[in-house]
Amino acid sequence: MYPNCTYAFNALIATARARIKRFTYLYGVSWTFLLLISLPAVSQCIAPSMIFKTPTLISGVDGSVGAVYKFANVTPGVDATIQVMALVGGAGLNQMDNTSQGYFNAWQPYVTAGGNGTSYLDWKIVFKKAGTNIDTLLPCLAITAVDIDGDGSRLKEFIVASTPGAYAVDPNTYLNVSFDGVNSTAVGTVLTVPNIDTAERKYMFQMNFSNVSTIYYRNGSISTKASFDVRHTCIYFKPFFFEDLITLPIRLTAFTAKIIKEGTLLQWNINEMKDIQNHTVQKSTDGVSWSNIGKLDIQDGVQNYNFTDRAAGSSRVYYRLQQTDVNNRTSLSRMLSVNYGGSTTVEVTMPTIVTKLIPVNLESPVAETYNFAIYNSMGSLINQRNYQAQTGPNSLQLDLPASSAVGTYVVAVRNAQGAIVSRKRIVLQ
């Protein structure tokens, strides 16, 4: 077994330094000396450098939804299986691992990107005890997407994964990184770089996980071209960034938006104020391009905040918060949507105490596809499904896996634009 993780150790160091520097400013004591006497002894966990090569199709149809591939001995004593969970928006899998360029030890699927919109492939990655079908828990894991770029004109790539503990990018990254409390997302630009090259760190996105056996991962493209494109992607299961890890803050306990007479009222609550300087309110008409419309400084002892956007809209608009800490590092909240063109209410109801079959009622203002995702108390995605809702009332059923333990779970519901419209806490008894 590995000891505690490197990024947890680095986060502890950074927090301690910040606090000790403030103490030093007040009392004139050497912060280096205080750091040495203040930190507990913490051993480090180095995420392994895994080798993903020569995959074997073990079930399903090659290149199709449901296909499962096995990568043997990715690290001593561990195999990995990767299942194609979804092909959306014209996305396709042409080859599971192409090493004609790039890196032999990385996983490099050849994929099709659809035209005129967003397309993506959803993957389920499970680590197994070598030679068995038994899941194995990895104390720490790093997954680094390489070459998140574009076609030079009208296409850009993106990466999404559920609930990592930390992420890292180059200080001068070209990527737009966000975290909505459940998923981390990195979106590139249309800029392109030749070949696949880990020296191009501005186009790399690393996510670090702890105590996981299963990862849900998405890679895709946003295109304004009418035709499809073929992309050679590269995912390395190893760390490249060691000093720039950003531990993801989950400090918003509530964030809502509703239309009032004066405009749109945004309200949020924070449960942890240390090291936060301010929140910047951001607005978008498409969920991709954002502008700043207000800033609120964090006040000592104040947990509830609100902001009114007085610029009325005529269609759907999106909001999110950018949080800035005392070191001027930023992170993003989940995205909210408001529809000025009609009813804004998406009502999701379900029992609080549930069995493994969960009845759900959904009241939708429009005909739209919603994604229902169930997370366990550790934040790991354990099941999800898409549901095509009609305008008005809808009924559906969610399933907890048969192996689910008694305890608390969270059901997150997203609309077609990826904005979370409901989050419910349920208890399995």
Side-chain angles (χ1 to χ4, degrees):
M1 297 294 290
Y2 298 91
N4 293 327
C5 294
T6 302
Y7 51 87
F9 177 79
N10 290 340
L12 177 63
I13 293 276
T15 301
R17 280 177 173 161
R19 291 176 178 173
I20 292 168
K21 282 181 179 178
R22 288 195 292 273
F23 182 91
T24 302
Y25 177 80
L26 293 173
Y27 299 103
V29 181
S30 165
W31 78 270
T32 304
F33 171 75
L34 285 172
L35 178 62
L36 290 173
I37 66 172
S38 300
L39 285 178
V42 180
S43 54
Q44 298 187 45
C45 173
I46 304 300
S49 295
M50 296 185 172
I51 298 174
F52 277 63
K53 63 180 181 181
T54 58
T56 302
L57 178 68
I58 59 175
S59 67
V61 178
D62 187 24
S64 301
V65 173
V68 180
Y69 303 83
K70 176 181 176 180
F71 289 84
N73 297 312
V74 294
T75 194
V78 177
D79 297 338
T81 62
I82 301 181
Q83 180 177 358
V84 183
M85 299 296 290
L87 301 171
V88 177
L93 175 59
N94 301 328
Q95 190 172 347
M96 187 60 178
D97 191 32
N98 183 297
T99 55
S100 59
Q101 63 173 324
Y103 301 96
F104 183 70
N105 289 345
W107 170 39
Q108 298 190 151
Y110 238 5
V111 303
T112 297
N116 283 332
T118 299
S119 61
Y120 56 84
L121 299 89
D122 276 344
W123 311 91
K124 180 182 180 180
I125 306 166
V126 183
F127 295 94
K128 307 279 188 178
K129 292 182 179 179
T132 77
N133 196 35
I134 302 172
D135 293 1
T136 187
L137 198 67
L138 300 180
C140 54
L141 172 70
I143 302 179
T144 306
V146 182
D147 194 39
I148 309 173
D149 63 352
D151 70 341
S153 61
R154 298 172 62 185
L155 178 146
K156 54 187 177 182
E157 298 176 337
F158 68 89
I159 297 293
V160 182
S162 61
T163 319
Y167 74 85
V169 291
D170 186 85
N172 299 308
T173 184
Y174 288 138
L175 308 179
N176 180 14
V177 178
S178 62
F179 178 64
D180 65 8
V182 174
N183 288 323
S184 276
T185 302
V187 182
T189 68
V190 297
L191 296 175
T192 187
V193 292
N195 304 317
I196 296 174
D197 188 356
T198 55
E200 297 286 354
R201 294 169 67 91
K202 295 178 182 179
Y203 298 87
M204 295 168 61
F205 181 54
Q206 176 180 315
M207 286 178 284
N208 285 53
F209 302 81
S210 62
N211 298 318
V212 293
S213 60
T214 302
I215 300 293
Y216 287 86
Y217 193 87
R218 172 180 296 176
N219 68 302
S221 301
I222 303 169
S223 175
T224 59
K225 299 190 297 185
S227 60
F228 69 86
D229 205 342
V230 176
R231 310 296 297 174
H232 193 183
T233 60
C234 179
I235 300 101
Y236 236 134
F237 286 76
K238 62 181 289 187
F240 288 86
F241 301 90
F242 296 93
E243 302 299 329
D244 301 313
L245 282 169
I246 298 174
T247 301
L248 290 167
I250 309 177
R251 296 170 176 172
L252 291 176
T253 57
F255 180 33
T256 62
K258 64 179 180 180
I259 296 176
I260 59 175
K261 181 179 179 180
E262 295 80 6
T264 303
L265 174 64
L266 304 175
Q267 297 175 300
W268 63 97
N269 176 275
I270 57 177
N271 65 352
E272 188 178 342
M273 291 170 286
K274 63 182 181 181
D275 299 336
I276 307 176
Q277 285 195 121
N278 56 63
H279 284 154
T280 300
V281 181
Q282 298 185 332
K283 182 178 180 179
S284 172
T285 57
D286 58 7
V288 177
S289 300
W290 297 85
S291 58
N292 297 338
I293 61 172
K295 179 186 288 186
L296 283 80
D297 292 331
I298 301 302
Q299 306 295 322
D300 288 342
V302 178
Q303 292 184 301
N304 298 308
Y305 294 84
N306 63 78
F307 177 87
T308 300
D309 177 16
R310 301 183 184 279
S314 58
S315 59
R316 189 184 294 272
V317 294
Y318 303 88
Y319 297 95
R320 70 185 184 188
L321 299 176
Q322 178 181 277
Q323 179 175 277
T324 304
D325 68 16
V326 294
N327 297 311
N328 287 320
R329 295 180 304 188
T330 61
S331 58
L332 296 171
S333 75
R334 64 186 177 95
M335 181 170 57
L336 300 179
S337 67
V338 170
N339 184 8
Y340 277 95
S343 171
T344 64
T345 303
V346 178
E347 293 289 344
V348 179
T349 58
M350 65 189 73
T352 302
I353 307 298
V354 302
T355 65
K356 291 179 181 177
L357 301 178
I358 309 167
V360 178
N361 292 316
L362 168 68
E363 183 80 23
S364 178
V366 293
E368 189 166 9
T369 299
Y370 294 91
N371 175 264
F372 290 77
I374 306 176
Y375 299 84
N376 63 19
S377 60
M378 299 296 292
S380 297
L381 178 65
I382 62 170
N383 203 4
Q384 66 175 328
R385 65 166 292 190
N386 289 332
Y387 179 79
Q388 179 59 56
Q390 303 302 313
T391 301
N394 298 262
S395 297
L396 65 145
Q397 178 177 284
L398 302 180
D399 301 322
L400 281 167
S403 59
S404 299
V406 170
T408 301
Y409 297 82
V410 172
V411 179
V413 185
R414 289 180 172 79
N415 62 18
Q417 291 73 39
I420 295 180
V421 296
S422 175
R423 184 184 278 114
K424 303 289 186 182
R425 190 178 301 275
I426 58 176
V427 179
L428 175 63
Q429 291 189 343

